[in-house]
Amino acid sequence: MSDNQPVLSIKDLHVGIEGNEILHGINLDIARGEIHAIMGRNGSGKTTAASTIMGHPDYEISSGKISLDGEDLLELEAWERARKGVFLSFQYPQAVPGLQVGHFLRKSVASIRGEDSAKGPVFREALKSAMEEVSIPRSFLSRYVNDGFSGGEKKRFEILQLMLLKPKLAILDETDSGLDIDGIRVVSRGINAAIRGSDSGALIITHYSRILEHVKPDYVHVLIEGKIVKSGGPELALELEERGYEWLESGNNGGE
Amino acid sequence: MAMEEAREAVGDYDLGWHDPEHSTIRFDSGLSEEVVRKISAIKNEPSWMTEIRVKAYHHFVNRPMPGFGDREALEGIKFDEVCYYLRSSDATEKDWDDVPDDIRNTFDRLGIPEAEQKWLSGVTAQYESEAVYHSIREDLEAQGVIFLDMDSGLREYPELVKEYFCSVIPYQDNKFSALNTAVWSGGSFIYVPKGIKVEMPVQAYFRINAKNMGQFERTLIIADEGSSIHYVEGCTAPTYSTDSLHSAVVELIALDGAHIRYSTIQNWSANVYNLVTKRGIAHEDASIEWIDGNIGSKLTMKYPSVILKGEGSHAEVISIAYAGKGQHQDAGAKVHHLASNTTSKILSKSISKDGGRGSYRGMVTVSPKAENCKLNVVCDALILDDESQTDTYPTMEVANASARCEHEASVSKVSDDQVFYLMSRGHSEEEALAMIVNGFFEPFTRELPMEYAVELNKLMALEMEGSIG
Ligand SMILES: Nc1ncnc2c1ncn2[C@@H]1O[C@H](COP(=O)(O)OP(=O)(O)O)[C@@H](O)[C@H]1O
Ligand SMILES: [Mg+2]
């Protein structure tokens, strides 16, 4: 593995669901320590891309490649990808009634980072400081995973998991949606703590630029109807904020 | 023979080993009045017991099969092929070292002596028809707590047994209570004196070892005024290609202000018919709780019941059922509010998988004279695949308008997205399913002593293994 090998490399990825192609040839490289943003309207294929990288079995890959640190991911199941270092913060986290948060976190840390990280003071300290960072009270530990959580609590809980699992690649699917300004500030603090200064790569998926003011991306890509139509620096996010997406849609490329 | 053994060894039920059969007395299979009289004679019983056995036998013969539950499976019971009495050791020992080696090894493997050391007040271990081991902590004995196997109970406290035997469940109650009354052997007899609170649970463990065995234990628990006790029972059997029959009767009497909790983890192998009648009667301000877990067996029909006879009494039935391949769990609860200000809570959870079938059958009644009763019934079913089945038969008969009734029912499926979410956190599909299933059962599991809760979670994780196609 050479030093300039990307953490995530996606080549000409075509993905469909129930026979309909949704992603039409995506290319994306994320190097160590880089933060990329994918912006796009609802229905453009953002969650499809995130779920495919994580390994959701419902998405059919007709061609293309996804690799992590040069290793092919496509043959691996979601849990194996997680153990290799892929993390997804879900747009819609799922509730598991009866599964206690504390128990779940410990089990997840054990399976991804090893038993030693999930035991004793090491785990307790990591848990305590991560919970403080994203303003989650201790009482949360005995609640059930995402069961009856508010929208904001769900998102903070996703970021808490990000902080504890320390992935090589963090994919954040609309972590900002449904949050107020304070909520965005809190989750951003957690995201920065988890990935700044590490050599993890991050892919932030959003349709507003607001979160990008708190977690500055190195690159911004625009996804329209399953294709990346434009890539640029952080300034592209601001431009999208001002001008919307229309000027980038097919047949409207006059602005280029 | 080798083929048969191999077949019996298959499956993921890892409690399904069997020991060589040993017996000091073994009846030929089949049931008759003579068999019933012989059981009574071997035990040297008083004549009133012999008489009630014989009456119960005739009732059993004439009584049709229940008109509900799994009638097809019930018709498959071959009563003629069952062995109704098998004694494998002539004494009930007080020291594990005196129990025959094979039998002691089996209970060692099941972890019973270890649990006894750590957290139990007393243990009775039944193997086939008789208790082979029995003990109670000396301090409890000194306080007057009686904890015996039922046969010793009848010998040592005939008056007490005579007063309460069949008082909660008459033999005419149903076909299987009649059968049990006719041929009962073993089980527990407990009396807790006034005001005595037994802190640590007492445990009974029932093991069937022989093929085509019938086990018919009989349990009677009397908690005197203001006393309390927690009784825990577990059971397992070898996996055979022919069926065994387990048909118990359990009667509980909670006198004024007493509290009885009765917890069961039923994990029979998938060739055991488990047809059990359990009922308690709660006097003034008493409470009875059934914590009832059904994981194993071929067919279970069991509806733990409470009769709320005294004012202010309380009933709770928290049950789970897991119906896997070839299993039908027909379980539920019954509560009868006969007095005012009585309360009841029923929580039933069932999981069906690999073509298994889970049924909830419940009945709650409030009599016209019972004022201000509160009833709460919740039943949830979780179905793990399309071949499996769940059904609910809830009945509420409320004859007093002041009653407050709540009833909720839900049926859900494990969603792919839920499994994917857990898998994305590093858990295999099987582990993810085990987390969902154990979470679903959590409201039950948290009621169990910790050691049992851990075992149950492991058991369910095992059930989820190898289940992914
Ligand atoms: N499970 C599914 N079944 C059918 N169509 C789907 C499914 N998931 C997504 N789609 C379709 O794929 C397209 C992209 O959806 P998605 O990736 O969720 O977009 P985004 O996350 O950008 O809002 C939409 O047209 C959506 O309707
Ligand atoms: Mg989306």
Side-chain angles (χ1 to χ4, degrees):
Chain A
M1 182 173 69
S2 69
D3 261 1
N4 52 15
Q5 175 144 54
V7 180
L8 176 72
S9 171
I10 299 180
K11 296 259 182 297
D12 192 32
L13 185 68
H14 291 255
V15 178
I17 189 152
E18 288 161 5
N20 297 323
E21 188 168 289
I22 291 165
L23 299 182
H24 313 285
I26 301 286
N27 289 289
L28 181 68
D29 275 357
I30 299 180
R32 286 149 184 276
E34 280 180 1
I35 298 179
H36 289 233
I38 289 185
M39 300 184 68
R41 282 206 284 239
N42 280 337
S44 57
K46 302 184 299 295
T47 295
T48 302
S51 306
T52 304
I53 301 169
M54 191 71 243
H56 196 301
D58 287 355
Y59 294 90
E60 304 134 18
I61 297 161
S62 49
S63 65
K65 266 184 157 166
I66 306 176
S67 50
L68 185 78
D69 276 343
E71 190 183 351
D72 180 19
L73 284 186
L74 292 183
E75 291 306 309
L76 303 180
E77 289 192 52
W79 63 278
E80 296 170 301
R81 297 184 196 195
R83 291 185 187 188
K84 297 269 180 204
V86 182
F87 176 86
L88 172 59
S89 166
F90 282 66
Q91 182 176 5
Y92 302 110
Q94 296 288 313
V96 187
L99 177 59
Q100 281 192 342
V101 164
H103 177 72
F104 170 64
L105 290 174
R106 192 183 288 277
K107 285 270 227 192
S108 300
V109 169
S111 74
I112 289 176
R113 300 189 50 220
E115 290 291 342
D116 286 346
S117 306
K119 281 198 301 223
V122 182
F123 179 74
R124 275 201 303 278
E125 286 305 313
L127 182 61
K128 187 162 172 272
S129 74
M131 286 174 73
E132 278 166 13
E133 197 82 62
V134 290
S135 306
I136 290 181
R138 279 203 70 76
S139 59
F140 238 75
L141 295 175
S142 53
R143 292 179 65 180
Y144 301 143
V145 170
N146 292 316
D147 193 26
F149 287 18
S150 69
E153 285 172 337
K154 284 184 185 166
K155 296 302 169 78
R156 278 185 279 148
F157 182 53
E158 293 296 284
I159 301 309
L160 175 66
Q161 295 177 66
L162 165 68
M163 295 176 74
L164 293 172
L165 296 174
K166 301 192 191 303
K168 283 183 188 161
L169 173 70
I171 307 163
L172 308 167
D173 190 2
E174 300 213 21
T175 298
D176 53 340
S177 70
L179 294 182
D180 57 19
I181 297 173
D182 288 336
I184 290 182
R185 196 165 329 123
V186 170
V187 296
S188 301
R189 200 162 69 203
I191 296 168
N192 284 321
I195 59 187
R196 287 285 171 206
S198 76
D199 57 8
S200 306
L203 182 59
I204 297 177
I205 292 172
T206 179
H207 61 252
Y208 295 115
S209 62
R210 234 174 13 188
I211 191 171
L212 303 178
E213 290 163 21
H214 298 274
V215 187
K216 267 259 169 314
D218 301 297
Y219 298 94
V220 174
H221 312 277
V222 184
L223 187 69
I224 291 181
E225 288 173 10
K227 275 189 191 146
I228 291 180
V229 298
K230 193 171 177 62
S231 299
E235 71 288 346
L236 180 55
L238 299 174
E239 196 174 355
L240 286 168
E241 187 80 343
E242 276 172 27
R243 299 178 63 188
Y245 290 98
E246 264 165 41
W247 59 286
L248 291 168
E249 284 177 333
S250 48
N252 264 349
N253 287 2
E256 281 290 280
Chain B
M1 190 63 207
M3 274 285 284
E4 196 182 21
E5 298 238 334
R7 192 166 58 238
E8 286 168 0
V10 209
D12 51 11
Y13 181 77
D14 71 351
L15 303 162
W17 76 86
H18 60 261
D19 303 326
E21 182 181 320
H22 38 136
S23 49
T24 58
I25 302 176
R26 187 198 213 284
F27 282 20
D28 290 341
S29 52
L31 186 58
S32 62
E33 183 175 328
E34 194 198 338
V35 165
V36 172
R37 288 189 181 279
K38 243 168 79 185
I39 292 172
S40 193
I42 285 171
K43 294 172 181 288
N44 261 320
E45 287 177 345
S47 59
W48 66 266
M49 183 59 84
T50 315
E51 276 161 31
I52 196 170
R53 281 180 184 273
V54 170
K55 278 193 218 154
Y57 165 72
H58 290 290
H59 188 85
F60 164 74
V61 170
N62 295 320
R63 183 87 180 237
M65 279 290 186
F68 56 88
D70 194 331
R71 289 156 81 172
E72 198 185 319
L74 287 174
E75 293 304 333
I77 302 175
K78 301 189 179 79
F79 289 105
D80 290 343
E81 293 177 12
V82 171
C83 168
Y84 287 84
Y85 184 81
L86 197 167
R87 178 183 287 183
S88 46
S89 165
D90 279 331
T92 304
E93 305 294 350
K94 282 196 151 112
D95 188 331
W96 282 108
D97 288 338
D98 298 329
V99 174
D101 285 351
D102 276 343
I103 300 178
R104 196 192 58 223
N105 286 342
T106 274
F107 286 109
D108 272 341
R109 276 172 87 174
L110 295 168
I112 309 303
E114 196 189 335
E116 178 182 11
Q117 290 279 318
K118 284 196 201 143
W119 59 277
L120 295 168
S121 291
V123 166
T124 184
Q126 179 162 341
Y127 197 81
E128 322 290 22
S129 300
E130 299 280 0
V132 292
Y133 171 83
H134 190 90
S135 86
I136 175 171
R137 273 189 12 214
E138 279 167 11
D139 55 323
L140 291 173
E141 216 168 4
Q143 288 177 304
V145 175
I146 302 168
F147 174 42
L148 291 169
D149 64 273
M150 191 66 194
D151 295 276
S152 306
L154 176 60
R155 266 194 310 276
E156 295 176 32
Y157 301 92
E159 292 310 311
L160 209 48
V161 173
K162 193 174 178 183
E163 183 179 349
Y164 288 106
F165 189 87
C166 278
S167 72
V168 187
I169 304 172
Y171 66 81
Q172 305 93 327
D173 191 79
N174 65 74
K175 188 172 179 76
F176 293 94
S177 64
L179 175 63
N180 174 280
T181 307
V183 298
W184 73 266
S185 182
S188 301
F189 173 70
I190 295 177
Y191 170 80
V192 190
K194 276 185 193 169
I196 300 292
K197 301 203 185 305
V198 180
E199 302 287 344
M200 295 202 289
V202 295
Q203 184 184 318
Y205 201 96
F206 299 95
R207 177 79 181 173
I208 293 177
N209 180 61
K211 241 184 196 180
N212 298 324
M213 187 58 207
Q215 195 176 57
F216 306 98
E217 88 272 8
R218 179 94 189 190
T219 289
L220 175 59
I221 300 178
I222 304 150
D224 212 330
E225 292 171 19
S227 70
S228 74
I229 184 148
H230 183 184
Y231 180 90
V232 185
E233 67 176 357
C235 49
T236 57
T239 306
Y240 288 121
S241 50
T242 57
D243 297 329
S244 300
L245 174 59
H246 173 255
S247 191
V249 166
V250 177
E251 298 177 279
L252 310 181
I253 295 106
L255 295 174
D256 293 356
H259 176 196
I260 302 177
R261 169 172 275 216
Y262 193 109
S263 302
T264 303
I265 300 289
Q266 177 272 106
N267 191 19
W268 295 117
S269 50
N271 56 303
V272 176
Y273 284 95
N274 184 45
L275 306 164
V276 171
T277 311
K278 289 180 162 170
R279 189 177 304 154
I281 188 157
H283 292 259
E284 219 172 290
D285 294 323
S287 79
I288 291 182
E289 297 162 349
W290 297 102
I291 312 294
D292 201 59
N294 295 291
I295 310 296
S297 84
K298 172 180 187 157
L299 168 66
T300 284
M301 286 174 66
K302 175 169 51 159
Y303 323 97
S305 314
V306 183
I307 298 167
L308 296 170
K309 185 173 178 224
E311 219 176 289
S313 57
H314 175 70
E316 210 155 308
V317 186
I318 301 177
S319 66
I320 56 159
Y322 169 80
K325 191 172 178 196
Q327 288 184 289
H328 184 175
Q329 305 280 9
D330 198 283
K334 291 183 192 167
V335 178
H336 301 289
H337 293 256
L338 303 185
S340 296
N341 301 314
T342 49
T343 52
S344 67
K345 183 181 146 187
I346 294 172
L347 172 62
S348 159
K349 305 207 125 209
S350 81
I351 291 179
S352 10
K353 176 171 175 283
D354 297 333
R357 180 168 170 205
S359 311
Y360 168 79
R361 198 177 298 280
M363 151 95 65
V364 187
T365 66
V366 177
S367 80
K369 285 172 297 180
E371 301 285 341
N372 302 318
C373 298
K374 271 194 223 160
L375 301 60
N376 177 284
V377 180
V378 177
C379 42
D380 299 324
L382 183 68
I383 306 179
L384 296 198
D385 50 49
D386 293 334
E387 303 121 70
S388 304
Q389 192 186 336
T390 178
D391 24 44
T392 20
Y393 309 94
T395 310
M396 270 196 191
E397 288 167 10
V398 179
N400 184 306
S402 67
R404 295 224 324 256
C405 313
E406 294 166 351
H407 182 234
E408 279 171 47
S410 76
V411 177
S412 48
K413 285 194 165 188
V414 173
S415 77
D416 291 349
D417 286 334
Q418 216 179 7
V419 174
F420 178 62
Y421 182 74
L422 295 174
M423 286 177 78
S424 78
R425 299 321 187 224
H427 309 292
S428 70
E429 192 167 351
E430 290 161 351
E431 289 164 350
L433 274 180
M435 283 176 162
I436 293 167
V437 162
N438 281 327
F440 181 75
F441 280 163
E442 202 271 350
F444 171 86
T445 317
R446 70 163 171 243
E447 299 294 333
L448 297 175
M450 208 251 287
E451 293 78 358
Y452 269 74
V454 170
E455 280 308 307
L456 183 69
N457 284 338
K458 280 194 212 152
L459 206 61
M460 293 316 300
L462 213 62
E463 292 288 350
M464 296 304 118
E465 268 176 31
S467 65
I468 313 298

Short mmCIF file of all heavy atoms in Angstrom, two decimals, chain A residues 17-18 20-23 40-51 56 58-59 91-92 173-174 205 207 223 226, chain B residues 417, ligand 1:
data_model
loop_
_atom_site.label_atom_id
_atom_site.label_comp_id
_atom_site.label_asym_id
_atom_site.label_seq_id
_atom_site.Cartn_x
_atom_site.Cartn_y
_atom_site.Cartn_z
N ILE A 17 -31.63 -0.40 -8.76
CA ILE A 17 -32.47 -1.08 -7.78
C ILE A 17 -33.73 -1.53 -8.48
O ILE A 17 -34.32 -0.80 -9.27
CB ILE A 17 -32.76 -0.20 -6.54
CG1 ILE A 17 -33.45 -1.02 -5.47
CG2 ILE A 17 -33.57 1.05 -6.90
CD1 ILE A 17 -33.20 -0.52 -4.08
N GLU A 18 -34.10 -2.76 -8.24
CA GLU A 18 -35.25 -3.37 -8.90
C GLU A 18 -35.22 -3.13 -10.41
O GLU A 18 -36.23 -2.77 -11.02
CB GLU A 18 -36.55 -2.83 -8.28
CG GLU A 18 -36.77 -3.38 -6.88
CD GLU A 18 -37.75 -2.57 -6.06
OE1 GLU A 18 -38.35 -1.62 -6.61
OE2 GLU A 18 -37.91 -2.89 -4.87
N ASN A 20 -33.93 -0.74 -12.17
CA ASN A 20 -33.73 0.63 -12.68
C ASN A 20 -32.35 1.14 -12.30
O ASN A 20 -32.01 1.17 -11.13
CB ASN A 20 -34.76 1.60 -12.07
CG ASN A 20 -36.16 1.24 -12.47
OD1 ASN A 20 -36.41 0.80 -13.60
ND2 ASN A 20 -37.08 1.38 -11.53
N GLU A 21 -31.60 1.56 -13.30
CA GLU A 21 -30.28 2.10 -12.98
C GLU A 21 -30.42 3.49 -12.37
O GLU A 21 -31.15 4.35 -12.87
CB GLU A 21 -29.39 2.15 -14.22
CG GLU A 21 -27.97 2.52 -13.83
CD GLU A 21 -26.94 2.31 -14.94
OE1 GLU A 21 -26.65 1.13 -15.23
OE2 GLU A 21 -26.45 3.31 -15.47
N ILE A 22 -29.75 3.70 -11.23
CA ILE A 22 -29.85 4.97 -10.51
C ILE A 22 -28.52 5.74 -10.56
O ILE A 22 -28.51 6.94 -10.73
CB ILE A 22 -30.29 4.72 -9.06
CG1 ILE A 22 -31.75 4.24 -9.08
CG2 ILE A 22 -30.18 5.99 -8.22
CD1 ILE A 22 -32.22 3.62 -7.81
N LEU A 23 -27.43 5.03 -10.41
CA LEU A 23 -26.12 5.68 -10.54
C LEU A 23 -25.53 5.27 -11.89
O LEU A 23 -25.40 4.08 -12.18
CB LEU A 23 -25.18 5.27 -9.40
CG LEU A 23 -25.62 5.62 -7.98
CD1 LEU A 23 -24.56 5.18 -6.97
CD2 LEU A 23 -25.90 7.12 -7.84
N GLY A 40 -26.51 17.26 -3.67
CA GLY A 40 -27.48 16.95 -4.71
C GLY A 40 -28.87 17.01 -4.15
O GLY A 40 -29.07 16.91 -2.94
N ARG A 41 -29.82 17.20 -5.04
CA ARG A 41 -31.20 17.28 -4.60
C ARG A 41 -31.75 15.93 -4.16
O ARG A 41 -31.15 14.90 -4.42
CB ARG A 41 -32.03 17.79 -5.77
CG ARG A 41 -31.90 19.28 -5.96
CD ARG A 41 -33.14 19.79 -6.63
NE ARG A 41 -33.15 19.46 -8.04
CZ ARG A 41 -33.22 20.38 -9.01
NH1 ARG A 41 -33.28 21.65 -8.70
NH2 ARG A 41 -33.24 20.01 -10.27
N ASN A 42 -32.91 15.96 -3.55
CA ASN A 42 -33.58 14.71 -3.20
C ASN A 42 -33.77 13.85 -4.43
O ASN A 42 -34.17 14.35 -5.48
CB ASN A 42 -34.97 15.00 -2.60
CG ASN A 42 -34.85 15.39 -1.15
OD1 ASN A 42 -33.86 15.05 -0.49
ND2 ASN A 42 -35.84 16.12 -0.65
N GLY A 43 -33.48 12.60 -4.31
CA GLY A 43 -33.71 11.67 -5.40
C GLY A 43 -32.56 11.61 -6.40
O GLY A 43 -32.63 10.88 -7.38
N SER A 44 -31.49 12.34 -6.14
CA SER A 44 -30.40 12.35 -7.12
C SER A 44 -29.53 11.09 -7.01
O SER A 44 -28.72 10.82 -7.90
CB SER A 44 -29.55 13.61 -6.96
OG SER A 44 -29.06 13.69 -5.64
N GLY A 45 -29.65 10.34 -5.93
CA GLY A 45 -28.89 9.09 -5.81
C GLY A 45 -27.86 9.11 -4.70
O GLY A 45 -27.01 8.22 -4.62
N LYS A 46 -27.95 10.07 -3.79
CA LYS A 46 -26.94 10.19 -2.72
C LYS A 46 -26.96 8.99 -1.78
O LYS A 46 -25.93 8.38 -1.48
CB LYS A 46 -27.17 11.49 -1.92
CG LYS A 46 -27.12 12.76 -2.77
CD LYS A 46 -27.26 14.03 -1.95
CE LYS A 46 -28.56 14.16 -1.17
NZ LYS A 46 -29.76 14.27 -2.03
N THR A 47 -28.18 8.64 -1.30
CA THR A 47 -28.28 7.51 -0.37
C THR A 47 -27.93 6.21 -1.07
O THR A 47 -27.33 5.30 -0.48
CB THR A 47 -29.69 7.46 0.25
OG1 THR A 47 -29.85 8.64 1.06
CG2 THR A 47 -29.88 6.23 1.12
N THR A 48 -28.29 6.13 -2.34
CA THR A 48 -27.92 4.94 -3.12
C THR A 48 -26.40 4.77 -3.11
O THR A 48 -25.88 3.66 -2.87
CB THR A 48 -28.43 5.07 -4.57
OG1 THR A 48 -29.86 5.23 -4.52
CG2 THR A 48 -28.07 3.85 -5.39
N ALA A 49 -25.68 5.87 -3.33
CA ALA A 49 -24.21 5.80 -3.34
C ALA A 49 -23.68 5.38 -1.97
O ALA A 49 -22.85 4.47 -1.86
CB ALA A 49 -23.63 7.15 -3.74
N ALA A 50 -24.21 6.01 -0.91
CA ALA A 50 -23.74 5.70 0.44
C ALA A 50 -24.02 4.24 0.79
O ALA A 50 -23.15 3.53 1.31
CB ALA A 50 -24.42 6.63 1.45
N SER A 51 -25.24 3.78 0.51
CA SER A 51 -25.62 2.40 0.87
C SER A 51 -24.80 1.39 0.08
O SER A 51 -24.50 0.30 0.57
CB SER A 51 -27.10 2.17 0.58
OG SER A 51 -27.87 3.15 1.23
N HIS A 56 -25.18 -2.46 1.15
CA HIS A 56 -26.58 -2.87 1.26
C HIS A 56 -26.91 -3.87 0.16
O HIS A 56 -26.69 -3.60 -1.02
CB HIS A 56 -27.49 -1.64 1.15
CG HIS A 56 -28.89 -1.91 1.63
ND1 HIS A 56 -29.68 -2.88 1.05
CD2 HIS A 56 -29.62 -1.34 2.62
CE1 HIS A 56 -30.86 -2.89 1.68
NE2 HIS A 56 -30.85 -1.98 2.64
N ASP A 58 -29.59 -4.82 -1.27
CA ASP A 58 -30.66 -4.55 -2.24
C ASP A 58 -30.17 -3.82 -3.49
O ASP A 58 -30.87 -3.79 -4.50
CB ASP A 58 -31.77 -3.71 -1.60
CG ASP A 58 -32.60 -4.54 -0.64
OD1 ASP A 58 -32.36 -5.76 -0.55
OD2 ASP A 58 -33.48 -3.95 0.04
N TYR A 59 -29.01 -3.19 -3.40
CA TYR A 59 -28.55 -2.41 -4.55
C TYR A 59 -27.72 -3.30 -5.46
O TYR A 59 -26.80 -3.99 -5.03
CB TYR A 59 -27.75 -1.19 -4.08
CG TYR A 59 -28.62 -0.21 -3.33
CD1 TYR A 59 -28.78 -0.30 -1.95
CD2 TYR A 59 -29.33 0.78 -4.02
CE1 TYR A 59 -29.62 0.57 -1.27
CE2 TYR A 59 -30.16 1.66 -3.34
CZ TYR A 59 -30.30 1.55 -1.97
OH TYR A 59 -31.13 2.42 -1.30
N GLN A 91 -29.01 8.23 7.08
CA GLN A 91 -30.02 9.28 6.96
C GLN A 91 -31.23 8.91 7.84
O GLN A 91 -31.78 9.78 8.51
CB GLN A 91 -30.46 9.43 5.49
CG GLN A 91 -31.47 10.54 5.28
CD GLN A 91 -31.82 10.75 3.81
OE1 GLN A 91 -31.37 10.00 2.93
NE2 GLN A 91 -32.62 11.76 3.53
N TYR A 92 -31.59 7.67 7.83
CA TYR A 92 -32.69 7.19 8.67
C TYR A 92 -32.23 6.04 9.55
O TYR A 92 -32.42 4.87 9.21
CB TYR A 92 -33.87 6.73 7.81
CG TYR A 92 -34.40 7.80 6.88
CD1 TYR A 92 -34.21 7.70 5.50
CD2 TYR A 92 -35.05 8.92 7.39
CE1 TYR A 92 -34.68 8.70 4.65
CE2 TYR A 92 -35.52 9.91 6.55
CZ TYR A 92 -35.34 9.80 5.17
OH TYR A 92 -35.79 10.79 4.34
N ASP A 173 -24.53 10.49 5.73
CA ASP A 173 -25.65 10.72 4.82
C ASP A 173 -26.66 11.67 5.46
O ASP A 173 -27.42 11.26 6.34
CB ASP A 173 -26.29 9.38 4.46
CG ASP A 173 -27.31 9.52 3.33
OD1 ASP A 173 -27.48 10.64 2.80
OD2 ASP A 173 -27.93 8.48 2.98
N GLU A 174 -26.64 12.90 5.01
CA GLU A 174 -27.59 13.93 5.49
C GLU A 174 -27.66 14.00 7.01
O GLU A 174 -28.75 14.05 7.59
CB GLU A 174 -28.98 13.70 4.90
CG GLU A 174 -28.92 13.77 3.38
CD GLU A 174 -30.18 14.34 2.75
OE1 GLU A 174 -30.93 15.05 3.46
OE2 GLU A 174 -30.39 14.10 1.56
N ILE A 205 -22.48 13.84 2.81
CA ILE A 205 -23.57 13.93 1.84
C ILE A 205 -24.63 14.89 2.37
O ILE A 205 -25.06 14.76 3.52
CB ILE A 205 -24.18 12.53 1.62
CG1 ILE A 205 -23.16 11.64 0.93
CG2 ILE A 205 -25.47 12.61 0.84
CD1 ILE A 205 -23.58 10.18 0.84
N HIS A 207 -27.79 18.18 1.15
CA HIS A 207 -28.27 19.03 0.09
C HIS A 207 -28.26 20.52 0.46
O HIS A 207 -28.64 21.35 -0.32
CB HIS A 207 -29.58 18.57 -0.55
CG HIS A 207 -30.75 18.49 0.37
ND1 HIS A 207 -31.27 17.30 0.78
CD2 HIS A 207 -31.52 19.43 0.92
CE1 HIS A 207 -32.31 17.51 1.56
NE2 HIS A 207 -32.48 18.79 1.67
N LEU A 223 -24.02 15.97 -7.51
CA LEU A 223 -24.64 14.76 -8.08
C LEU A 223 -26.01 15.14 -8.63
O LEU A 223 -26.87 15.66 -7.90
CB LEU A 223 -24.79 13.71 -6.98
CG LEU A 223 -25.27 12.33 -7.41
CD1 LEU A 223 -24.21 11.60 -8.23
CD2 LEU A 223 -25.63 11.48 -6.18
N GLY A 226 -27.85 10.81 -10.73
CA GLY A 226 -26.95 9.65 -10.74
C GLY A 226 -25.60 9.88 -11.39
O GLY A 226 -24.89 8.91 -11.68
N ASP B 417 -33.71 -3.35 6.51
CA ASP B 417 -32.98 -2.13 6.88
C ASP B 417 -32.47 -2.20 8.31
O ASP B 417 -31.39 -1.69 8.62
CB ASP B 417 -33.87 -0.90 6.68
CG ASP B 417 -34.03 -0.56 5.21
OD1 ASP B 417 -33.13 -0.92 4.42
OD2 ASP B 417 -35.06 0.02 4.84
N1 LIG C 1 -35.43 0.79 -2.25
C1 LIG C 1 -35.75 1.47 -3.36
N2 LIG C 1 -36.66 0.97 -4.22
C2 LIG C 1 -36.98 1.64 -5.37
N3 LIG C 1 -36.43 2.80 -5.71
C3 LIG C 1 -35.53 3.35 -4.91
C4 LIG C 1 -35.14 2.73 -3.69
N4 LIG C 1 -34.21 3.49 -3.08
C5 LIG C 1 -34.05 4.57 -3.89
N5 LIG C 1 -34.84 4.50 -4.98
C6 LIG C 1 -34.93 5.49 -6.05
O1 LIG C 1 -33.62 5.83 -6.43
C7 LIG C 1 -33.51 7.22 -6.65
C8 LIG C 1 -32.41 7.79 -5.77
O2 LIG C 1 -32.78 7.70 -4.42
P1 LIG C 1 -31.80 8.06 -3.22
O3 LIG C 1 -30.50 7.41 -3.48
O4 LIG C 1 -32.47 7.74 -1.96
O5 LIG C 1 -31.67 9.64 -3.42
P2 LIG C 1 -31.20 10.78 -2.40
O6 LIG C 1 -30.55 10.13 -1.23
O7 LIG C 1 -30.26 11.58 -3.20
O8 LIG C 1 -32.41 11.55 -2.02
C9 LIG C 1 -34.88 7.82 -6.37
O9 LIG C 1 -35.54 7.98 -7.60
C10 LIG C 1 -35.54 6.77 -5.54
O10 LIG C 1 -36.94 6.78 -5.74
#
